[in-house]
């Protein structure tokens, strides 16, 4: 990869690499060109450090007063995280002492690192690609062991290898098609070329598969948002409490108890789930409840899935269209997953009319907990999560978008070929598809995109 147009800074950057707060050890990291002035300044004398050897030393200020003592580690370019010369000071993990070490390094000529700047330098020096750098950030942010495992796979480059493999195949197909166009005297009949069509078909299938795996990874990373909606007193807040395992929301027999939007975070098989409790939907009379209902609708619109809660003792109906006509009049083209929950089954006889006949209808009781397990099981499949231990790598929205775009171009390319025999158009579509895929690993990414990605990382990473 040629990123030489971006590599301009050889100034030395410094940051605390460990978390803020008190800890046994705290790490300050420097990266740059010639680090000897820093070594000399911190130690008080000149010394050539052997790379990757731990030195026990006192770190001094300008007046030779000891700021801290700890380990000094040197990594020489290009064998370091950033690919530059790197110096690590492992001192004591107190905010004041670490700040004083950073100040000392600034005094000696370093500049405070921007968020993600170490990773950015690693990317610019070809130590890792963009998807791998994002994997590192995702590993740091992982909220479950499953999410962490998938981030490790991305960090190690499994995702990048798959993407590069697809890019390679696109290039081969382009070369083949473009060569045929350039030598028309050879007279290649694209329409009759079954090998080309098979290869294209396989490419389309593999793109679809990788998109599915990436969607799993994105779910593990970003989680899903579920909104509890329904008439007043249906038991929405009781369900929030039951799912969260704590008394988060006020529950009373008064219809219209909840007015504000309440959020709780839970973890289902490693997938972070945001559960949102809302005001009961009805023609509200007072101003507060009106606002609550308006907010409820806004949350409903944004949800990945909606749990529509119905008080089973109040309805004989099981059809969502009659249970919740307001939803369908607001959103005529129903775009969301809705699961109907018949709550309070503890109040009806066991042989009642409710039959568990579909994934979209679950009888349960927020009070006794009956039915909650089937709800949890169904929730994840509803949003498209399949638990698979292996093969999932962490992915982001931008990766999904890029793969989807590439798929579209391959699909139109195939159509161009099949309907028009148009090799030129196919070649153009393949070029576009390749460009989108290459954005994932950062080969063709704009400085703008890179800036946005790295600035979302934490400082010191
Ligand atoms: N027996 C029984 N009562 C329940 C169950 N779930 C909720 N309730 C009761 O129903 C009443 C309303 O419950 P909430 O959870 O406040 O209902 P809500 O849908 O949040 O109501 P609003 O906030 O007013 O919209 C309370 O008295 C609860 O104790 C259940 O599964 N079984
Ligand atoms: Mg409530």
């Amino acid at each position: 990869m040629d990123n030489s147009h971006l590599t301009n800074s050889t100034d030395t950057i410094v940051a605390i690499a460990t978390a803020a707060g008190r800890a046994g050890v705290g790490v300050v990291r420097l990266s740059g060109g010639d680090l000897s002035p820093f070594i000399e300044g911190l130690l008080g004398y000149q010394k050539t450090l052997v790379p990757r050897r731990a030195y026990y030393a006192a770190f001094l200020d300008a007046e030779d007063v000891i700021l801290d003592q700890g380990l000094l580690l040197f990594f020489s370019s290009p064998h370091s995280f950033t690919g530059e010369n790197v110096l690590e000071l492992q001192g004591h993990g107190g905010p004041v002492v670490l700040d004083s070490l950073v100040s000392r390094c600034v005094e000696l000529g370093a500049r405070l690192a921007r968020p993600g700047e170490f990773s950015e330098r690693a990317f610019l020096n070809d130590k890792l690609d963009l998807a791998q750098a994002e994997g590192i950030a995702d590993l740091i942010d992982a909220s479950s062991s499953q999410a962490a495992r998938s981030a490790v796979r991305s960090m190690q480059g499994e995702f990048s290898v798959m993407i590069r493999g697809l890019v390679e195949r696109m290039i081969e197909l382009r070369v083949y098609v473009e060569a045929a166009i350039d030598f028309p005297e050879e007279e290649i009949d694209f329409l009759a070329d079954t090998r080309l069509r098979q290869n294209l078909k396989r490419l389309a299938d593999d793109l679809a598969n990788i998109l599915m795996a990436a969607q799993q990874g994105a779910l593990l990373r970003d989680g899903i948002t579920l909104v509890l909606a329904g008439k007043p007193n249906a038991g929405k807040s009781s369900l929030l409490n039951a799912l969260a395992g704590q008394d988060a929301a006020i529950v009373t027999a008064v219809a219209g108890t909840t007015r504000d939007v309440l959020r709780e975070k839970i973890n289902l098989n490693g997938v972070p789930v945001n559960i949102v409790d809302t005001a009961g939907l009805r023609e509200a009379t007072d101003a507060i409840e009106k606002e609550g209902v308006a907010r409820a609708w806004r949350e409903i619109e944004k949800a990945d899935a909606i749990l529509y809660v119905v008080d089973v003792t109040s309805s004989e109906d099981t059809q969502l269209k009659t249970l919740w006509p307001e939803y369908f009049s607001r959103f005529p083209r129903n775009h969301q997953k809705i699961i109907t929950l018949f709550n309070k089954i503890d109040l009806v006889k066991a042989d009642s009319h409710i039959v568990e006949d579909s994934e979209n209808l679950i009888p349960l009781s927020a009070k006794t907990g009956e039915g909650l397990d089937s709800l949890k099981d169904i929730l994840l499949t509803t949003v498209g999560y399949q638990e698979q231990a292996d093969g999932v790598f962490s992915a982001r929205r931008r990766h999904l978008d890029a793969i989807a775009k590439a798929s579209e171009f391959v699909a139109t390319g195939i159509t161009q070929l099949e309907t028009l025999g148009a090799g030129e158009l196919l070649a153009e579509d393949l070029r576009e598809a390749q460009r989108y895929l290459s954005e994932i690993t950062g080969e063709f990414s704009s400085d703008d995109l890179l800036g946005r990605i790295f600035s979302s990382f934490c400082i010191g990473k």
Side-chain angles (χ1 to χ4, degrees):
M1 183 186 359
D2 180 25
N3 288 309
S4 50
H5 61 295
L6 290 169
T7 331
N8 50 14
S9 52
T10 47
D11 53 346
T12 301
I13 51 173
V14 64
I16 300 171
T18 40
R22 297 164 64 240
V25 177
V27 175
V28 170
R29 185 149 67 164
L30 286 141
S31 179
D34 178 17
L35 299 183
S36 52
F38 298 93
I39 297 167
E40 186 177 345
L42 285 160
L43 296 179
Y45 54 91
Q46 248 184 351
K47 187 170 176 71
T48 307
L49 301 182
V50 178
R52 278 168 288 158
R53 178 177 295 175
Y55 293 87
Y56 184 60
F59 310 135
L60 309 178
D61 73 5
E63 271 78 52
D64 286 350
V65 175
I66 296 177
L67 296 169
D68 193 6
Q69 56 187 23
L71 296 183
L72 195 60
L73 283 160
F74 176 65
F75 302 88
S76 69
S77 168
H79 308 292
S80 70
F81 174 67
T82 59
E84 302 177 326
N85 286 323
V86 167
L87 194 62
E88 251 185 53
L89 313 178
Q90 303 193 355
H92 292 95
V96 175
V97 61
L98 289 173
D99 276 342
S100 71
L101 288 176
V102 167
S103 302
R104 175 70 177 131
C105 293
V106 170
E107 191 178 77
L108 290 165
R111 159 174 79 69
L112 294 177
R114 292 190 305 270
E117 200 171 359
F118 289 91
S119 301
E120 188 177 356
R121 288 188 176 192
F123 168 74
L124 295 176
N125 292 321
D126 283 344
K127 298 296 288 189
L128 36 80
D129 67 35
L130 205 49
Q132 286 179 295
E134 288 170 319
I136 296 178
D138 291 347
L139 177 61
I140 292 172
D141 291 336
S143 61
S144 69
S145 57
Q146 288 92 332
R149 275 207 300 277
S150 69
V152 167
R153 282 194 202 100
S154 287
M155 180 178 81
Q156 290 182 321
E158 275 188 39
F159 183 32
S160 308
V161 166
M162 279 190 266
I163 293 295
R164 289 221 181 86
L166 288 172
V167 168
E168 279 305 313
R169 281 160 58 191
M170 284 179 185
I171 293 174
E172 274 169 30
L173 285 172
R174 273 181 63 195
V175 168
Y176 176 75
V177 174
E178 280 167 19
I181 297 166
D182 288 345
F183 298 100
E185 61 275 12
E186 307 254 311
E187 196 68 51
I188 292 189
D189 182 0
F190 286 117
L191 278 174
D193 194 333
T194 45
R195 206 179 64 101
L196 174 63
R197 284 163 67 180
Q198 271 172 2
N199 280 338
L200 281 168
K201 178 77 181 52
R202 230 174 276 143
L203 189 64
D205 289 348
D206 290 348
L207 277 169
N209 286 336
I210 208 169
L211 182 61
M212 233 157 60
Q215 273 162 345
Q216 305 294 306
L219 275 177
L220 275 176
R221 185 185 115 88
D222 302 328
I224 52 169
T225 301
L226 295 176
V227 169
L228 288 159
K231 298 207 173 89
N233 259 354
K236 299 177 294 299
S237 302
S238 305
L239 268 168
L240 175 78
N241 293 347
L243 287 168
Q246 60 171 331
D247 259 342
I250 300 173
V251 167
T252 73
V254 178
T257 303
T258 308
R259 279 117 177 260
D260 269 326
V261 171
L262 276 159
R263 296 167 206 280
E264 280 292 310
K265 226 184 192 131
I266 64 165
N267 182 314
L268 283 184
N269 298 355
V271 178
V273 179
N274 301 300
I275 308 175
V276 182
D277 180 23
T278 59
L281 302 169
R282 65 170 169 188
E283 281 299 325
T285 44
D286 76 277
I288 305 171
E289 196 181 343
K290 259 204 179 93
E291 178 58 26
V293 171
R295 287 180 187 210
W297 279 110
R298 288 206 286 277
E299 293 299 325
I300 288 166
E301 197 173 352
K302 287 189 293 185
D304 293 314
I306 302 162
L307 302 177
Y308 188 69
V309 188
V310 178
D311 181 340
V312 74
T313 62
S314 74
S315 176
E316 293 276 303
D317 217 311
T318 56
Q319 286 303 306
L320 189 63
K321 285 220 155 82
T322 36
L323 282 168
W324 199 17
E326 300 88 346
Y327 177 85
F328 295 92
S329 58
R330 268 173 196 256
F331 309 111
R333 288 173 43 220
N334 171 13
H335 59 292
Q336 281 160 312
K337 310 260 184 181
I338 305 177
I339 303 175
T340 310
L341 305 180
F342 278 99
N343 188 30
K344 311 195 188 181
I345 47 160
D346 54 294
L347 296 179
V348 295
K349 290 190 296 296
D351 58 346
S352 74
H353 58 284
I354 299 291
V355 251
E356 202 169 341
D357 60 346
S358 83
E359 289 212 329
N360 299 322
L361 199 155
I362 304 171
L364 46 69
S365 166
K367 188 174 174 183
T368 65
E370 195 184 339
L372 278 185
D373 283 339
S374 15
L375 171 60
K376 288 179 184 172
D377 287 345
I378 287 169
L379 276 181
L380 290 180
T381 43
T382 303
V383 294
Y385 184 70
Q386 301 136 358
E387 203 171 349
Q388 47 189 154
D390 298 318
V392 175
F393 38 82
S394 71
R396 303 177 166 212
R397 188 71 249 168
R398 77 168 193 96
H399 302 152
L400 301 187
D401 291 346
I403 301 170
K405 276 276 180 222
S407 289
E408 270 172 43
F409 276 107
V410 170
T412 25
I414 293 175
T415 318
Q416 310 275 25
L417 186 73
E418 284 178 350
T419 55
L420 308 168
E424 297 84 350
L425 298 177
L426 169 65
E428 178 60 22
D429 285 326
L430 284 175
R431 201 180 62 84
E432 284 296 311
Q434 184 196 335
R435 192 173 61 81
Y436 275 107
L437 273 196
S438 302
E439 262 185 17
I440 294 176
T441 47
E443 254 100 325
F444 284 105
S445 303
S446 65
D447 292 2
D448 204 37
L449 173 73
L450 296 179
R452 244 182 304 137
I453 289 171
F454 286 112
S455 62
S456 70
F457 288 18
C458 47
I459 291 187
K461 189 62 242 174

